[in-house]
Each structure stands twice: as structure tokens, then as C-alpha cells.
Amino acid sequence: MKVSPRRMLHNAMKMLIPLATLLTCTVIATGSSPPSDSSTDNSAFGLSLNGQPVRYQTSPRLVNSTLMVPLNDLSESLGVQVQWDSSSPADTATATKSGYTVKLEPGNKEALRQSESVTLDAAPMLEQGELLVPLRFFSESFDFHVYWDAASQTASIWDADQSLPTVGSFERMRQLLEQSVPYGVNFDGSISVTAMAGEGLVAVQPTAKQKAAASVPSSGAAESKPAYSTTNVQVEGVDEADIIKTDGDFIYQVNRNRVIVTKAAPTDQMKVVSTVTFDDPHFHARELYIDEKRMVVIGTTLYRTDSKPEPQQAGPDTATSSAAVPSAEPSVVKEKMIVRLPAGRTTTKAVIYELGDRSTMAKVREVELDGQYTSSRKIGDSLYLISNRGISIAPVLRDSLSLPEKEAAIAGSLPSYRDSAVSGSYVSIGYEDIRYFPNSQAPNYLMVAGLSIGDPAQPMNVTSYLGSGNQVYASLEHLYVASQQFEPVSREKLPSDRTRAVIQPGESSTVIYKFAMGSGKVTYSGRGKVPGRVLNQFAMDEHQGYFRIATTKGNIGRTDEHTSKNNMYVLDAAMQTVGKIEDIAPGEQIYSVRYADNRAYMVTFRTVDPLFVIDLTAPQAPALLGKLKIPGYSNYLHPYDDNHLIGFGKDTVEVSSGVNGNSSGETVGLYQGMKMALFDVTDVANPKELFQETIGDRGTDSELLRNHKALLFSKEDGLLAFPVKVMEIKDRKANGSSFNEASRYGEFTFQGAYVYKLDLNSGFRLQGRITHLTADDYSKAGYYSGIYEKNIERILYIGSTLYTASQQMIKATDKATLTELGSVQLP
């Protein structure tokens, strides 16, 4: 390679001067806008390549909103060969790699990419003998993606094989949105899915948002503090937000859009020490996290038409400029604009407090993402947030609108975020920094964010994707977001006489997006796809580098090739399917899944409950080991130990489906009361039901059947507790097996906590019931329920005391005798 004379002089100068400032990806933006001069020297810009900080000898410079970086250092980082032609007056630089060629000259805005002339936003420039070139143009010319974070003023360069393509321009966005229109998407951008479920007469179905998991009680953070329960989570060490938490001294509860902090001990002196309210009148608190130093409250805010104008910071290549093209440079904010967020826009917000004196907790930070709150996780000091924001595609599909009108409409809905650690303004994410999932776009922005709550100076790391994701699983190192994908159909095939059509659930697949996470940062690292739909987070698992997922394909009630079938898939670290079992339990669907190292337990149901045991020891060859068929089904499976499993669900009876005189001879399963079962899977080929317990009659319900966080379990104490609403039939007829009798609902008789002792010798033993309702409340109760505000929502323990929480009260009860020890009325 021929070296330019200017480069030789620069190399000599470097021997006499110290190294330039080290650039990292954690550079903190000052919050003020860069000067709008034609050239700005600003060493606060951060650079990274494939997630690693980049050391460049010459600091980047900002030239008319174009980030300029040293050619020789950049080309060396990207593996690009550079040759100089000193015979030309301007020392032309020719860069080549893998058949791609770029030619650049100092001071000349006209560059050659292959044989095509390209006009640059800023001309290459000489700086101390070093040629500085436009970062985005040069990198993307050699199949790298450049992402700009306006809040932290950092540029991330990613090899295309390790990242996703960006939307780049309005025209590309328009094309992608048009391609995303499937049957069932209305012209207003909403999604309408009519499932031909054919569930017979089973009235309770698990929903896509149903949750479940495993819990590990705390042994106490200090010797002087008694042991206390923690939230029942899926993966040990990966915390999940809930409506209530304790640190062993205080109880923190999301209560009627406030957080109430209660001193728990001594039990006869329980008292509310503070009530945390929020400055934002539209903020709706949903869940919280607690650690030794901080409280994080997560919720949503709806910006209405009467909201005050909010400062919004223009991001890179925002749609306020219609000239955005794939090779455009990362724009840097030139000024802050006061804008009003669109009416009805919803954001996901996390508010962080320093605990300190619990009576006066100080708010230290707020972060906000566009979209509805989907899920979150907390690992140590790192918080991860996921939201989904729908895009109205009506402007794109409406032929009556001109192209500029369509562009203006889409421009007004670009995703944005806010981090008070950087500034109080919203940062809009431009086309150049919105990635999209090839072949699986949806009219939706999936936003994934990470931040360190222990380092208030570290900006939130935010990425936005054109596409959707609703089920979230997280291990200690990876975040997986699953999305149901329907077979696309061209707009021409949509019915002309209606704006929606039916989607057959059997025509869907599940796409899984994998993200690496750590230290409050999230990086996209792969994508996989499997047939069928996923039930909930417990249908997914990561073990020894492999990802396992269970799905249901087809529809219950069908008797053709589209009948429901259940599957187990194993994907490797690159998200490629390496093993599978398909067509399990035809005609049924998955109701619950649980993984335990090299085993998976799967419950399917139509009229009876088969519990399948699946061997995953060899990822390339998963195998069915055994199954057990019993009446009822389990919505949630919880490990007791290595060889025993607890199932929570509903009891069922199998009756003739003859209705109104129609005696077809077919049978259906009708759910009855709540059922618990203890399974022995020691002999994997022959699983057994050791014990079972049924609560109430048809209509009995527990949040545990939809939300695993409602379970309190301690194997060491033999303790099992959960909230339940009991419905009972008081005038039961003799023929309980008839359809009419089996389909009857009970009437309300109890709401509160059921507390059990559980061991392998005696099974379930009801220790007692705890309620917050008085005798007078029960006498005034209706047929279906009592007083909602007095419904017990969670049970936890500190030392030898159980605490039950409703919106009106926290009650302390002795764990051994269930004797009431004290209570506090909540304001």
C-alpha cells in the first residue's frame, strides 16, 4: 500500500505527542446543543465497533451535522484496504474490501462508490495530516451499519452480519409498512384476530399474557434481619417487577396509583411511614422493584390533548427533514424545539428513588420510552425495559393522500424516549436509527432499553425496531422477545367490501429476537423462527447455550390438517433450529410448560390433562420420556424439587356435549373448581400424581392461574399460599355428571389467602384461611364478589410472620398458628 506523504508526516508527529483522548461508548452528553458552526471539534463523541470501544488517534469532528473520523484508523478497524494516489493534486484515497470500492478526495463533496457518483453532506478534510471522512457514508459503503444515539452523542458501528438493517428513509418505511399488511390488520393500523379456537365448552383459556415461575426465598441480607420472601420469578437472579416487595423491614406496595411504604415490625406497631405520589398527573403506576438502595416504579403515561407542551430534542435524521436517505449522516441536534406530543400517545416510564429515610424518599431519575409497557427485568443494578408502540398505517394505505402528506403523517409518529440523566427533553429516533426485522415487519415499534440505576451518569441505552414482540424471557445474559408472525398477504388480496378478514391461528409462526445484555446495555444478537404460537414466558428457556421453546400450531376443534399440534424446538446460540419434537397431542393445546435443566414438562388439554416429560439432554435429539393423563389441567407448573412438580389449574369433568336435546355422543371437558396436584417424576417414563386438592366449584378463581407472582412457596418451611376467590354451589343436585349440573357456576363465599402445609409424605394440608373481609362484608356481598378493595392480592413473609396485602389493609399473621398479630389500614 502506498502511503500518502501527509500520512508519513502525521506518523512522525505522533511520535512526539501523547495519544489522543480515548473514546468510549459511555460518553456523557452535556445536555447542551453543539454549536452550529461549519466545523466543531468535540472530543465528547463516542465511538464503538461491534460493541467494543474504539481508540482513534484523532478525535472525531462535527461538520454541518456530519460526524467525521480519521480514514486510516477507521479503515483499519473495518478491515478496509486504502491506497493513495499522490499523482493527483488532492491525494485521492481509494478504499476497497470484498469487491466494494470508494474513492475520496480532501475538500471534494463528490465521492465515487463503485462507479456511482455520490454527493456527500460534508467533504473529507485534512486535520494534522490525517484525512477525516464521513463516518456513516464510509462505513455503510462496506456493509456496516451505523447507529447514532443523540442523547449520549455516541456512534455505534456494527458489522451487518451482527446487526439489523435500518429503515433509512421515509420511502423505505412506506414500503415496509405496505408489506406488513396481513389479513386481520385494519386500515386504522389496529390488529384484529379472530381465532377459530374450537375450544368446545371449556370456558377458561390461558391468555398470551399469562405468566408463571419459580421463587427462591431470601435468607436475609444481614444477620440482624430475619429471612423474608422475594417475588416468585422464573430465573434465579433475574428479578421481575411486582405490585408489592419487601426488604425485610418495610413493605412497598403499588396501591391506587401510589406507593405506600409500611413499617412491618413490630407487628403490633405496624404503620405507614410514607405515601409516594407522582408529579405527572397522567402517570399510572403498575409495578416496582426494590433493592438495598433504590426503588424503581414502572408504569405508563398517557399524553392527552390537554397535556402541556413538552421539550423534544430532534434526533438523527428525524422526519422533520424529508431528505433522509440511506447514506445520510447522523444528524446532531442544532436546537431544541418545544412540541406537543400527539394526542393519546402512551409512554412507558420508570421513576427511580433513593430509599434513604423511608419517610422522605428522593426521586433521582426518570426514563421514558414510547409505547405500552410490555415487560421488564432487573439484574443487579441493571434495569431493562421493553415497550411496544403501534403505528397507524392508515395514511400509508390511503390512496387519497399525497406522498408528502403520507410522509408528514409517518414523521409525526417516529419513536422517542427521554432520560432525565441526560436532559429533560425527548429524543426522537430517526429513520437511520430504526432497525427492522427482515421478513417480519409489523406496524409497530418494539423498543428495548437498558440502564444502570446504580450509575446515574450513564445514559439509557435505547434501540428501536420496526416489528413487534410481546412475550419476554430473560436469562442472566440474554433477553429473548417473541412475536407471533402471520403469513403476509398482498393488499390486492384484501376483501374490497370490508376492512378486515379472519386470520387462522394455525397460519402463524413465532419469531424470537435475541439480545445480549449486561451493565445496563442491550445489543441485538440474533433471530430465530419456529412454527406455531408461544403461550407465555414459561414456554421459553435457555440452558447451556441452547434456547428451548414450546409452541402450539393449528386449532382445537379442527379435524383436518389444521388440527392443533404441539411442538418442542431447540435452537443453538446462533438461533438456528438444531432439534425438535413435533405433533405432540394432536387436537389439544399447551396450557403450561416448565423447564428443569435437561427436562421439560408440558401440559396440554382438551378433555383431560396429559403431563408430558421431555428429555432435552441431547439438544439435537429431544425425546418424549413419558406422560400422565388425569382429569383437569394445570395453568402453572412450579418445581418442588428435582423429582417433584406442583401443578395449579382447574379440575374438570367429562360430560356429554348434548345440548338442547342434541345427543351427539361427543364428550367435552367442563372446568370446575381450582385444583392443585403434586406430581412425582422420579420415574420419567411413568410420572404419577401423588396428591391433589380441589378448592370450590365452577367459577372459583385465583390470580395465580394467570400470574406466577401471586404464589408464595417455601420448601424449607413446607409453606404454600396464594390468593383465591371461592365460588360454591349450595344446592347441588344428585346427578353431578350431567351437562346442566356440571356447567353450573357457584356463588361467592370467600376471598382471601389459602395457606397450606406441603410435604412429600402428607401432601396438601390446609392450615387455614386469611381474609380481609368482615362478617358484615360477607353478608352484604353479591352473588359474584365481595368488596374489591379488600381482596387479598399478595402474601409474603418476614421471619415468622405472614403478611397479606389488599388495597385497604396489610394484616400480620403468625406463620405457625395463623393467629392475627396486627394490621394497618392503608390511606
Side-chain angles (χ1 to χ4, degrees):
M1 180 180 72
K2 185 176 180 180
V3 180
S4 163
R6 291 187 176 90
R7 180 63 176 172
M8 294 175 63
L9 174 61
H10 178 55
N11 288 340
M13 291 176 62
K14 287 197 297 183
M15 299 175 63
L16 303 176
I17 60 176
L19 293 177
T21 305
L22 172 65
L23 298 175
T24 70
C25 284
T26 56
V27 178
I28 303 166
T30 62
S32 60
S33 301
S36 57
D37 298 340
S38 62
S39 177
T40 302
D41 185 3
N42 193 335
S43 60
F45 298 121
L47 291 175
S48 69
L49 175 62
N50 291 331
Q52 298 300 316
V54 178
R55 297 171 180 265
Y56 285 169
Q57 301 297 330
T58 301
S59 298
R61 293 179 69 87
L62 184 67
V63 179
N64 293 331
S65 299
T66 297
L67 200 60
M68 310 291 288
V69 296
L71 171 62
N72 281 280
D73 288 333
L74 178 62
S75 61
E76 184 177 348
S77 299
L78 305 185
V80 177
Q81 299 296 315
V82 177
Q83 291 185 329
W84 297 85
D85 183 1
S86 298
S87 63
S88 64
D91 281 344
T92 301
T94 301
T96 59
K97 179 185 179 183
S98 302
Y100 296 97
T101 301
V102 168
K103 290 187 177 182
L104 300 161
E105 291 182 359
N108 189 353
K109 280 191 173 184
E110 297 300 317
L112 283 178
R113 180 159 55 191
Q114 304 297 79
S115 58
E116 180 184 357
S117 178
V118 179
T119 301
L120 306 176
D121 288 344
M125 58 184 291
L126 287 169
E127 179 75 27
Q128 297 180 344
E130 180 73 73
L131 184 66
L132 303 184
V133 298
L135 171 65
R136 189 183 293 277
F137 167 78
F138 189 87
S139 300
E140 293 186 346
S141 296
F142 296 101
D143 207 20
F144 286 82
H145 300 314
V146 176
Y147 305 121
W148 173 254
D149 188 333
S152 60
Q153 300 196 57
T154 61
S156 303
I157 310 167
W158 287 91
D159 190 307
D161 291 336
Q162 301 184 42
S163 63
L164 291 168
T166 58
V167 173
S169 66
F170 163 72
E171 179 57 29
R172 183 61 178 147
M173 173 69 84
R174 184 181 66 82
Q175 294 171 358
L176 292 170
L177 289 178
E178 286 183 342
Q179 295 169 10
S180 74
V181 182
Y183 280 127
V185 173
N186 305 327
F187 285 170
D188 64 356
S190 61
I191 297 178
S192 174
V193 179
T194 303
M196 304 295 289
E199 304 300 347
L201 297 171
V202 178
V204 171
Q205 299 297 327
T207 66
K209 292 185 178 179
Q210 180 182 355
K211 310 227 176 176
S215 90
V216 179
S218 168
S219 60
E223 293 182 0
S224 60
K225 184 180 294 187
Y228 58 90
S229 58
T230 58
T231 299
N232 181 26
V233 298
Q234 182 177 10
V235 177
E236 184 177 356
V238 181
D239 199 7
E240 301 179 37
D242 196 16
I243 58 175
I244 195 167
K245 301 272 187 178
T246 183
D247 58 10
D249 291 319
F250 298 89
I251 296 172
Y252 309 81
Q253 181 188 11
V254 175
N255 183 302
R256 289 172 282 191
N257 210 36
R258 309 160 297 169
V259 174
I260 294 179
V261 183
T262 302
K263 178 65 176 174
T267 55
D268 59 348
Q269 299 177 31
M270 294 171 59
K271 64 178 181 178
V272 173
V273 296
S274 65
T275 300
V276 180
T277 57
F278 310 103
D279 300 333
D280 182 354
H282 302 301
F283 178 68
H284 175 65
R286 296 179 57 176
E287 297 179 318
L288 56 77
Y289 289 99
I290 289 291
D291 60 27
E292 293 181 357
K293 298 180 179 179
R294 300 167 194 87
M295 176 175 72
V296 181
V297 182
I298 299 176
T300 56
T301 289
L302 175 63
Y303 289 94
R304 306 179 187 276
T305 53
D306 59 351
S307 299
K308 295 180 180 180
E310 297 285 350
Q312 182 161 351
Q313 186 169 321
D317 297 317
T318 60
T320 52
S321 169
S322 61
V325 294
S327 60
E329 298 304 320
S331 302
V332 178
V333 181
K334 295 183 178 179
E335 61 179 343
K336 292 180 181 177
M337 300 170 292
I338 302 299
V339 301
R340 189 186 298 275
L341 290 177
R345 173 174 287 188
T346 298
T347 64
T348 295
K349 179 185 287 188
V351 188
I352 302 170
Y353 297 85
E354 289 286 354
L355 290 180
D357 181 355
R358 296 328 191 256
S359 63
T360 56
M361 292 185 291
K363 182 175 71 174
V364 295
R365 188 176 183 180
E366 286 186 352
V367 296
E368 211 163 351
L369 295 175
D370 255 347
Q372 295 282 353
Y373 176 51
T374 300
S375 191
S376 66
R377 296 292 190 275
K378 182 177 177 292
I379 303 175
D381 279 345
S382 296
L383 175 67
Y384 302 94
L385 295 169
I386 302 96
S387 70
N388 276 277
R389 180 179 162 215
I391 307 170
S392 174
I393 59 175
V396 173
L397 300 177
R398 193 169 294 144
D399 295 331
S400 60
L401 292 181
S402 66
L403 195 61
E405 288 174 323
K406 292 182 178 183
E407 181 174 0
I410 296 299
S413 64
L414 287 174
S416 62
Y417 63 96
R418 182 176 70 90
D419 183 358
S420 66
V422 178
S423 71
S425 58
Y426 288 86
V427 176
S428 181
I429 301 175
Y431 295 126
E432 280 298 322
D433 295 299
I434 300 173
R435 292 92 155 171
Y436 68 89
F437 301 120
N439 303 318
S440 61
Q441 302 85 36
N444 184 86
Y445 292 122
L446 171 67
M447 301 192 71
V448 182
L451 67 149
S452 171
I453 62 174
D455 182 4
Q458 177 182 314
M460 179 170 61
N461 169 243
V462 182
T463 51
S464 180
Y465 306 87
L466 181 61
S468 66
N470 47 29
Q471 297 297 339
V472 176
Y473 166 80
S475 66
L476 288 168
E477 297 177 344
H478 295 104
L479 182 75
Y480 297 87
V481 181
S483 175
Q484 191 171 0
Q485 176 181 315
F486 296 95
E487 294 299 325
V489 63
S490 65
R491 187 183 176 191
E492 288 73 20
K493 293 182 180 179
L494 288 173
S496 58
D497 59 342
R498 55 180 178 170
T499 60
R500 68 182 68 184
V502 173
I503 299 174
Q504 296 290 351
E507 300 171 1
S508 66
S509 300
T510 296
V511 181
I512 312 103
Y513 307 112
K514 179 181 179 181
F515 302 86
M517 59 181 182
S519 303
K521 295 186 179 298
V522 181
T523 304
Y524 174 81
S525 59
R527 170 183 176 273
K529 183 178 179 180
V530 296
R533 58 193 179 274
V534 65
L535 174 66
N536 56 30
Q537 69 185 67
F538 286 91
M540 300 180 281
D541 180 72
E542 182 187 79
H543 182 64
Q544 296 181 347
Y546 290 93
F547 178 76
R548 296 92 71 91
I549 182 170
T551 67
T552 297
K553 183 178 180 180
N555 307 290
I556 287 182
R558 298 285 290 265
T559 57
D560 54 14
E561 68 274 16
H562 297 295
T563 190
S564 59
K565 299 174 183 177
N566 305 287
N567 318 292
M568 175 67 68
Y569 298 97
V570 182
L571 287 69
D572 61 16
M575 299 303 287
Q576 300 298 310
T577 300
V578 295
K580 62 183 178 181
I581 305 177
E582 296 182 310
D583 302 341
I584 302 171
E588 302 178 6
Q589 70 177 16
I590 293 174
Y591 267 50
S592 58
V593 184
R594 195 65 193 235
Y595 297 88
D597 295 329
N598 289 320
R599 288 185 196 171
Y601 305 100
M602 176 192 295
V603 169
T604 63
F605 178 77
R606 185 176 182 186
T607 58
V608 294
D609 174 359
L611 170 68
F612 291 93
V613 183
I614 302 174
D615 182 17
L616 298 170
T617 304
Q620 292 77 17
L624 285 176
L625 297 177
K627 67 178 178 180
L628 169 68
K629 288 195 173 185
I630 54 175
Y633 57 84
S634 298
N635 293 104
Y636 171 56
L637 297 172
H638 190 93
Y640 179 87
D641 60 22
D642 291 343
N643 294 308
H644 297 86
L645 199 65
I646 313 170
F648 300 89
K650 289 293 183 73
D651 190 19
T652 63
V653 294
E654 196 172 352
V655 296
S656 171
S657 61
V659 183
N660 298 327
N662 177 19
S663 57
S664 64
E666 295 182 359
T667 59
V668 296
L670 290 174
Y671 74 83
Q672 301 297 294
M674 183 176 175
K675 177 183 176 181
M676 297 182 295
L678 181 64
F679 301 105
D680 183 350
V681 290
T682 305
D683 181 357
V684 293
N686 298 287
K688 300 177 182 178
E689 183 183 63
L690 292 182
F691 302 98
Q692 65 166 297
E693 175 85 357
T694 302
I695 303 172
D697 295 313
R698 186 172 172 87
T700 297
D701 191 32
S702 171
E703 187 179 355
L704 174 57
L705 303 182
R706 297 173 295 278
N707 187 345
H708 58 282
K709 302 169 191 176
L711 175 66
L712 173 66
F713 173 66
S714 171
K715 179 176 177 292
E716 291 75 15
D717 293 334
L719 173 67
L720 183 73
F722 48 87
V724 63
K725 181 177 76 170
V726 180
M727 309 289 282
E728 294 180 330
I729 298 174
K730 297 183 178 180
D731 57 343
R732 188 180 303 278
K733 303 296 189 296
N735 185 11
S737 61
S738 69
F739 176 86
N740 289 337
E741 185 65 19
S743 61
R744 291 181 62 196
Y745 285 86
E747 62 178 286
F748 174 74
T749 60
F750 177 82
Q751 199 290 325
Y754 266 54
V755 182
Y756 285 89
K757 286 292 186 180
L758 175 63
D759 59 50
L760 299 180
N761 295 318
S762 304
F764 302 98
R765 289 166 291 146
L766 181 62
Q767 188 180 6
R769 307 192 304 180
I770 304 171
T771 184
H772 289 186
L773 295 169
T774 65
D776 188 52
D777 293 332
Y778 280 110
S779 67
K780 295 178 180 178
Y783 190 88
Y784 297 103
S785 64
I787 301 174
Y788 172 76
E789 292 78 8
K790 291 187 177 182
N791 284 351
I792 292 177
E793 298 175 317
R794 295 290 187 272
I795 308 99
L796 51 86
Y797 72 78
I798 302 174
S800 59
T801 304
L802 286 177
Y803 294 86
T804 51
S806 64
Q807 293 187 13
Q808 284 194 3
M809 176 191 297
I810 294 179
K811 179 186 289 189
T813 306
D814 183 81
K815 190 191 294 185
T817 64
L818 294 193
T819 303
E820 182 176 340
L821 302 176
S823 65
V824 58
Q825 294 292 323
L826 303 179

